Structures are given as C-alpha cells and as structure tokens.
Amino acid sequence: MIIRRQPRAPRRPQLCWLLVPFVLYLGALPFANRVDPVVLGLPFLFVWLLGATLLTPVAVWLTYRADRKSGRTGRRP
C-alpha cells in the first residue's frame, strides 16, 4: 500500500494582522467599557472604538503588503 501525503497548505503568518481589529473590537471590549475616564470630552469606550476603527485599515494594509512581498496578492495574470 502506498501512502501519499497531501500537499501542505502554505503558511501565511501575515494573516495574523487581521486578528488585531477582532481583538480590539471584541476581545478587549469588556476592559474598555468604562465611562469614567473621559478623553477629549468623550467617553473612553467611544474613543476606544474610534481608535479600533482607525487601526482596522492599517491592519488590512499591513496584511496586503506582506502578501505582496511573499508573492501572493490574489491577482491572476
């Protein structure tokens, strides 16, 4: 009997950057759910969500840039 191995899926550690928005929105939300510290007259939770929203495109850009360097942009010739 011949056992053939399945080809391994390529590792893409750069996709970990896409976990950053998830952690900022959901993982750290119970810790940031405070009204008491006020930043620029806004509740802390609002500032936290605003910061997470502004960092999401940065995380996507870092993932795209790392994919492009490794030659995996998803574009086909």
Side-chain angles (χ1 to χ4, degrees), residues 13-73:
Q14 61 270 23
L15 293 180
C16 291
W17 281 112
L18 297 179
L19 290 175
V20 171
F22 175 76
V23 170
L24 286 176
Y25 278 113
L26 298 178
L29 193 59
F31 303 108
N33 193 10
R34 309 264 187 263
V35 177
D36 193 23
V38 177
V39 180
L40 299 173
L42 299 171
F44 183 69
L45 180 62
F46 182 79
V47 174
W48 181 270
L49 292 175
L50 181 64
T53 302
L54 294 176
L55 286 176
T56 298
V58 174
V60 172
W61 176 75
L62 287 171
T63 304
Y64 172 74
R65 190 181 78 169
D67 260 359
R68 208 172 75 196
K69 281 186 178 180
S70 67
R72 301 174 199 198
T73 60

Side-chain angles (χ1 to χ4, degrees), residues 1-20:
M1 176 192 273
I2 298 174
I3 299 175
R4 294 187 180 162
R5 290 186 171 201
Q6 296 281 336
R8 268 191 172 175
R11 293 184 182 260
R12 296 172 75 181
Q14 61 270 23
L15 293 180
C16 291
W17 281 112
L18 297 179
L19 290 175
V20 171

